[in-house]
Amino acid sequence: STSLVEVASCGPRAMFVWRALILQLHLLQGDASNVLLGSAARSDASTDECSSFLQANSKRSITSMSKVTNVSETPRDANQSKPLGNVTFTNWSAKNYMFIHIPKCAGTSFRADASLVVAPSYFQENREESFQSTPHEDNQIDMIIFRSPLVHILSQFMECKYDFWGNMVVAGTDFPALPGLYGGLAEWIHHFVELKDAPLDGALPDTEEWAQIANYRCYNPWNMQTRYLATEWSHSAPFHSFEPNLQTAVDALNRVQFVGLSEFYVESLCLLNLHRHGTVPETCACGGRGPLAGTSHLEHFVPDHAISDLPAALVKQMRKLVRLDAQIYAMVLKRFESELRHASEISGVQMFCPEKFDTAWVQVDHLLGELGFANVTSLKRSAKDS
């Protein structure tokens, strides 16, 4: 990839940003990453051009991971797969795959792993743009991975505070990077909860500059997953997009052919494997490793963190930012559970783990209840799945 060669030529500073991606490539290409790292080590370049390149590309992905993967070496358990016989299941073997990447939903890992699962089909990622900003073609399968809303918010803050990319983009802003593991989180949440439909540093609330100022040039947590479905905004958003039209988001969600969940990461890969190849390996059974010999996990230099560590008063404030995301997540969980149960039945491989879904629904129901949606039928678990 030309982009990776350019990054390598920018020296160690550039390679630090891309370290996670290089480690990912090492898993996929073996010695290819060593060549890039060697190139970086020999370069002392630290020019303004490299700095500009970093700012423009620090969150950019490889356009098609399948292009850089040796498909013949894909660690697939195809010989253990079960054919579906005469049972019908939507097969996408002749399609192109577009991953619509919502940040902090295990997307970087999914991008690498899903490209292996669908290989040799063409796979690309949309560079963290929204669904509305992504081109859609007739032969294209759109894919999105979602994440539990409160965990998603915490992950956004941790990325902005600890990751090299986050440190770079918030530099020069008032981002509250205070001492302690969660230092500044309460101030960060308070900032977004209290944002008003009023100018910031002279920028008007309906402008991109206002949106960038408001989110410290990093992430805006206001209903990000809904925003990615319903608007053209991505990392940032103007005031009027903090709570976008829910029906527009639902309509977009219904157009997305494949949805997965970061909390059900392996199951998501298994379901994708069934769609693409019409088979499921035995390793996709509940508790198994999935369709690949191993899965990716990139920490982005972020320390371990958990919602359970946070005080109840802070979590209550966080809930104000996910009224729409909580509803979207419940819809996705409901759909995913139904699809995975059906896939398990027709494939003969029990990918469905009842206890895991029971736990997920307890958490979702609690969040919906706290937000006043406890009696909304469309957000409840299907009776046949409970």
Side-chain angles (χ1 to χ4, degrees):
S1 168
T2 301
S3 296
L4 287 175
V5 172
E6 289 179 285
V7 172
S9 70
C10 284
R13 177 172 177 236
M15 292 309 296
F16 184 67
V17 180
W18 281 81
R19 181 183 176 194
L21 185 54
I22 296 301
L23 291 174
Q24 197 108 347
L25 280 173
H26 181 69
L27 294 174
L28 301 179
Q29 289 185 285
D31 293 337
S33 59
N34 294 333
V35 175
L36 288 168
L37 288 169
S39 174
R42 290 191 300 270
S43 173
D44 294 322
S46 182
T47 64
D48 291 339
E49 180 179 353
C50 287
S51 297
S52 299
F53 176 82
L54 280 169
Q55 290 183 355
N57 295 278
S58 56
K59 69 181 179 68
R60 202 172 84 184
S61 69
I62 295 178
T63 301
S64 172
M65 294 298 289
S66 60
K67 284 185 175 181
V68 299
T69 303
N70 185 339
V71 175
S72 65
E73 296 178 356
T74 301
R76 180 184 301 287
D77 296 301
N79 60 329
Q80 300 178 26
S81 298
K82 285 193 175 183
L84 299 185
N86 295 323
V87 180
T88 301
F89 195 83
T90 307
N91 187 284
W92 299 329
S93 60
K95 302 290 187 178
N96 296 327
Y97 292 78
M98 170 65 78
F99 176 43
I100 297 164
H101 186 170
I102 301 177
K104 309 316 302 169
C105 292
T108 304
S109 297
F110 184 79
R111 180 183 65 207
D113 293 338
S115 66
L116 293 175
V117 170
V118 305
S121 292
Y122 182 72
F123 178 97
Q124 62 184 133
E125 185 240 40
N126 75 337
R127 302 181 182 180
E128 298 187 9
E129 296 296 330
S130 71
F131 177 85
Q132 303 293 341
S133 299
T134 301
H136 304 282
E137 302 175 358
D138 292 339
N139 67 334
Q140 177 176 301
I141 298 298
D142 291 328
M143 305 180 294
I144 304 181
I145 299 294
F146 294 86
R147 190 173 190 180
S148 182
L150 294 179
V151 177
H152 188 219
I153 283 188
L154 179 57
S155 183
Q156 291 172 57
F157 171 79
M158 300 298 278
E159 173 82 5
C160 297
K161 180 176 180 178
Y162 289 102
D163 184 61
F164 185 83
W165 171 80
N167 288 173
M168 184 172 63
V169 296
V170 303
T173 73
D174 294 326
F175 180 83
L178 303 179
L181 177 60
Y182 301 113
L185 174 60
E187 290 77 6
W188 187 75
I189 295 297
H190 179 78
H191 163 78
F192 284 103
V193 169
E194 295 300 320
L195 276 172
K196 306 296 183 184
D197 188 7
L200 286 175
D201 295 345
L204 298 178
D206 60 348
T207 64
E208 182 172 357
E209 181 59 21
W210 186 95
Q212 291 287 351
I213 294 171
N215 74 339
Y216 305 107
R217 305 193 181 277
C218 195
Y219 296 132
N220 183 326
W222 270 99
N223 296 300
M224 180 188 278
Q225 296 176 79
T226 309
R227 195 169 74 231
Y228 258 76
L229 290 168
T231 78
E232 295 184 352
W233 295 92
S234 53
H235 288 194
S236 60
F239 188 84
H240 65 79
S241 292
F242 283 10
E243 296 187 290
N245 185 279
L246 182 61
Q247 188 56 54
T248 301
V250 172
D251 291 343
L253 179 61
N254 290 336
R255 291 171 53 195
V256 177
Q257 294 96 325
F258 179 85
V259 297
L261 295 163
S262 65
E263 291 80 13
F264 294 85
Y265 186 81
V266 169
E267 293 90 337
S268 298
L269 292 176
C270 289
L271 187 59
L272 181 61
N273 192 94
L274 180 59
H275 275 298
R276 169 60 182 86
H277 300 282
T279 58
V280 183
E282 294 287 355
T283 50
C284 274
C286 178
R289 69 169 183 261
L292 302 176
T295 55
S296 305
H297 179 68
L298 300 181
E299 298 179 347
H300 297 274
F301 316 106
V302 173
D304 291 341
H305 52 279
I307 288 293
S308 58
D309 294 341
L310 306 180
L314 179 55
V315 174
K316 182 178 181 180
Q317 290 296 102
M318 294 169 68
R319 286 197 290 264
K320 296 179 180 180
L321 305 176
V322 297
R323 287 183 60 82
L324 299 181
D325 275 6
Q327 297 173 74
I328 289 293
Y329 186 81
M331 295 176 197
V332 173
L333 179 61
K334 185 175 182 178
R335 170 178 163 179
F336 184 79
E337 180 176 21
S338 177
E339 292 179 354
L340 190 67
R341 183 185 289 276
H342 178 58
S344 297
E345 292 173 353
I346 66 175
S347 68
V349 177
Q350 184 56 35
M351 297 175 278
F352 184 84
C353 299
E355 296 82 5
K356 191 172 180 179
F357 277 95
D358 290 345
T359 300
W361 275 109
V362 167
Q363 296 170 349
V364 169
D365 287 342
H366 176 74
L367 176 58
L368 291 173
E370 292 293 329
L371 292 171
F373 301 125
N375 297 319
V376 180
T377 304
S378 62
L379 303 179
K380 289 183 175 296
R381 189 180 191 183
S382 298
K384 63 180 181 180
D385 291 330
S386 59

